[in-house]
Amino acid sequence: MLFDEIIFGPIKSRRFGISLGINLLPLESKFCSFDCVYCECGLTAKMKGVKPELFKKNQILSALEQRLKDLKGTPLEPDSITFAGNGEPTMHPEFPQIIDEVILLRNQLIPDAKITVLSNATLLKRAHIRESLLKIDNNVLKLDAGTDAMFQLINRPMSPITLQEVVDQLMIFNGNLTIQSLFLKGIVSNNLIDNTLPHEVDAWLSHLERIQPKLVMLYPIDRLTPFANLEKISTDQLSSIAARVEAIGIKAEVF
């Protein structure tokens, strides 16, 4: 499932209220630093060798400005301007400049709206990406595994990176972030994937204790995935994991 517009929505989101989406990435293909087994946008590996055509900053800002003007003062005036779309938004080469300009547009047109970025956290080692994310209201960053072995099986990074490197970068935010974690089970390429195993959850919780996010969002699979034999985790099991997060003093919500 690919987004077919630069600006999409708004949709009514349990997480962010009325959310207006921004897709910085190509409309015809996924563009991401992960190749997650559960991604609704499909497999990144299939895009190897395809040169993506990214929207220019001015195209994005023009489309956003017009949409904000259209929605201002209506029942669908956004509570959140949300960077999501067909892959990893921080991979756009003009990401820092786009963030700065979106903040200005928000302040001028809909000052009460929050700015949210959904990111897989792989590019946080780049100082300009971290600095841009620290300017916004909601950093929603991915952490799907407790051990590096499970991280490699689930998220399948396109360039070498370890789970420990991701956690170290998440700690730099000093709690000014939300962690988003998807739980699942299944077999992919003859490998067992299950981040609900007790030792996986224990390790994941130890990372959360170090990161100290303001919120942890827990999800099951909700849409079609590239691998048909992945299993959706029950709400009861997710709630049990969320209770363990709450027990270490961190707010958790199940979606």
Side-chain angles (χ1 to χ4, degrees), residues 22-245:
I22 303 180
N23 173 40
L24 304 184
L25 307 172
L27 301 183
E28 70 283 352
S29 66
K30 181 182 172 186
F31 187 53
C32 195
S33 51
F34 273 172
D35 192 19
C36 297
V37 295
Y38 59 76
C39 184
E40 65 194 47
C41 293
L43 297 178
T44 312
K46 288 187 176 181
M47 308 304 172
K48 277 189 173 181
V50 177
K51 186 176 181 180
E53 291 189 22
L54 296 170
F55 295 111
K56 300 296 185 184
K57 179 186 69 171
N58 289 342
Q59 289 177 283
I60 295 161
L61 295 173
S62 176
L64 176 63
E65 182 177 11
Q66 185 58 56
R67 194 74 176 111
L68 290 178
K69 287 178 177 178
D70 291 343
L71 293 171
K72 184 176 174 61
T74 75
L76 289 178
E77 181 173 304
D79 300 308
S80 176
I81 300 166
T82 305
F83 287 77
N86 298 332
E88 174 52 38
T90 63
M91 290 179 70
H92 194 291
E94 296 181 288
F95 180 78
Q97 296 89 343
I98 291 168
I99 287 289
D100 288 343
E101 295 288 343
V102 169
I103 290 171
L104 290 175
L105 274 178
R106 184 273 308 271
N107 292 347
Q108 292 167 8
L109 295 173
I110 306 183
D112 291 335
K114 306 292 186 184
I115 296 175
T116 301
V117 173
L118 308 182
S119 170
N120 65 22
T122 52
L123 300 187
L124 299 181
K125 60 186 176 183
R126 300 180 185 179
H128 63 283
I129 299 296
R130 290 199 310 272
E131 290 161 6
S132 295
L133 291 174
L134 287 169
K135 295 176 182 179
I136 67 168
D137 304 288
N138 296 323
N139 297 299
V140 183
L141 301 168
K142 184 188 295 290
L143 185 69
D144 289 336
T147 67
D148 188 67
M150 192 60 64
F151 167 70
Q152 302 296 336
L153 288 173
I154 292 175
N155 300 127
R156 306 197 304 177
M158 300 299 289
S159 298
I161 189 171
T162 66
L163 179 61
Q164 190 59 59
E165 289 176 283
V166 173
V167 171
D168 288 345
Q169 294 300 323
L170 293 171
M171 290 173 63
I172 295 174
F173 282 74
N174 292 319
N176 183 23
L177 75 164
T178 293
I179 290 294
Q180 179 173 268
S181 298
L182 186 141
F183 287 89
L184 73 165
K185 300 177 184 178
I187 303 289
V188 174
S189 301
N190 296 318
N191 292 309
L192 173 66
I193 290 177
D194 187 352
N195 57 353
T196 71
L197 294 169
H199 72 277
E200 283 292 333
V201 175
D202 289 346
W204 176 76
L205 288 167
S206 72
H207 298 318
L208 295 180
E209 287 187 288
R210 296 175 63 208
I211 297 164
Q212 286 295 307
K214 57 188 176 184
L215 173 66
V216 177
M217 297 176 170
L218 294 85
Y219 292 83
I221 292 168
D222 192 44
R223 295 186 175 96
L224 289 175
T225 68
F227 298 97
N229 58 345
L230 295 175
E231 178 183 335
K232 181 174 181 176
I233 303 302
S234 71
T235 300
D236 286 348
Q237 189 169 5
L238 289 177
S239 296
S240 177
I241 296 171
R244 294 193 62 189
V245 177

